[in-house]
Amino acid sequence: MFYGNIKKCDVADGEGVRVTLFVSGCRIHCPGCFQPQTWDFNFGREFTEETQLELLDALKPQYIAGLTVLGGEPFEPENQAVLAPFLERVRNTYPQKNIWCYTGYVYEQDLLEGGRKHTEYTDRMLSCIDVLVDGPFILEKRNLMLEFRGSENQRILRLK
């Protein structure tokens, strides 16, 4: 898996001060996407053990509320295979911190068992995620007044 960016002090992508990982690779290709460069699965840098340690270290300070993962698309099957064990590692290391994840897929249709993006890793990822923001960005439903979302169809789902 590759990633496009890491923000170590982010307040735009979830509640509180967060560490944010922008993964690469997305097949949805929403018109008006704010990061179309992340559609490419090889964009940015390789996600390595050193990357994981960097993120775990960035999560240490008490003022950091948690981790946010977005993209690209975290729930592309290739990304799930890498993110599931990483999210478990974050959850085990920092059980008091929360994990947010953004996906252009729809929770009930795509991510639950039988859904088109459900893999052997999906349930492991979902079990680590506290808040899932789901649904594709729809340019015609764009609303800059929404908190933590870009378009009115997107939902903030509290999974825990």
Side-chain angles (χ1 to χ4, degrees), residues 23 44 70 74 78 84 106 111 116 118 123 141:
V23 302
L70 62 162
E78 302 90 328
V106 177
L111 303 181
R116 65 185 172 127
H118 188 275
D123 293 338
K141 295 185 178 192

Side-chain angles (χ1 to χ4, degrees), residues 92-112:
N92 290 332
T93 305
Y94 299 110
Q96 75 281 14
K97 300 197 185 252
N98 59 59
I99 298 174
W100 281 54
C101 185
Y102 284 74
T103 179
Y105 294 111
V106 177
Y107 178 68
E108 299 87 353
Q109 293 174 6
D110 301 315
L111 303 181
L112 295 181

Side-chain angles (χ1 to χ4, degrees), residues 24-156:
S24 295
C26 182
R27 293 181 177 92
I28 302 171
H29 298 184
C30 300
C33 173
F34 78 107
Q35 301 199 110
Q37 68 275 18
T38 65
W39 297 351
D40 180 351
F41 281 84
N42 296 310
F43 174 75
R45 299 184 200 137
E46 188 174 358
F47 188 78
T48 64
E49 174 66 17
E50 290 75 26
T51 311
Q52 292 186 43
L53 293 174
E54 177 184 353
L55 287 162
L56 289 168
D57 187 59
L59 286 162
K60 274 184 190 175
Q62 194 169 9
Y63 66 86
I64 298 292
L67 174 71
T68 297
V69 181
L70 62 162
E73 176 53 58
F75 281 95
E76 292 296 359
E78 302 90 328
N79 292 341
Q80 289 187 47
V82 176
L83 288 172
F86 174 65
L87 294 181
E88 290 168 342
R89 188 175 184 182
V90 171
R91 175 64 65 215
N92 290 332
T93 305
Y94 299 110
Q96 75 281 14
K97 300 197 185 252
N98 59 59
I99 298 174
W100 281 54
C101 185
Y102 284 74
T103 179
Y105 294 111
V106 177
Y107 178 68
E108 299 87 353
Q109 293 174 6
D110 301 315
L111 303 181
L112 295 181
E113 190 169 340
R116 65 185 172 127
K117 290 297 171 174
H118 188 275
T119 73
E120 61 187 289
Y121 302 103
T122 310
D123 293 338
R124 288 173 58 189
M125 280 182 64
L126 291 172
S127 73
C128 294
I129 295 168
D130 297 285
V131 179
L132 182 71
V133 181
D134 81 335
F137 173 74
I138 298 176
L139 190 56
E140 295 78 22
K141 295 185 178 192
R142 179 178 167 201
N143 183 340
L144 298 176
M145 301 305 292
L146 296 172
E147 191 171 44
F148 308 125
R149 296 171 289 155
S151 60
E152 292 175 354
N153 62 296
Q154 294 173 316
R155 305 178 298 171
I156 297 174

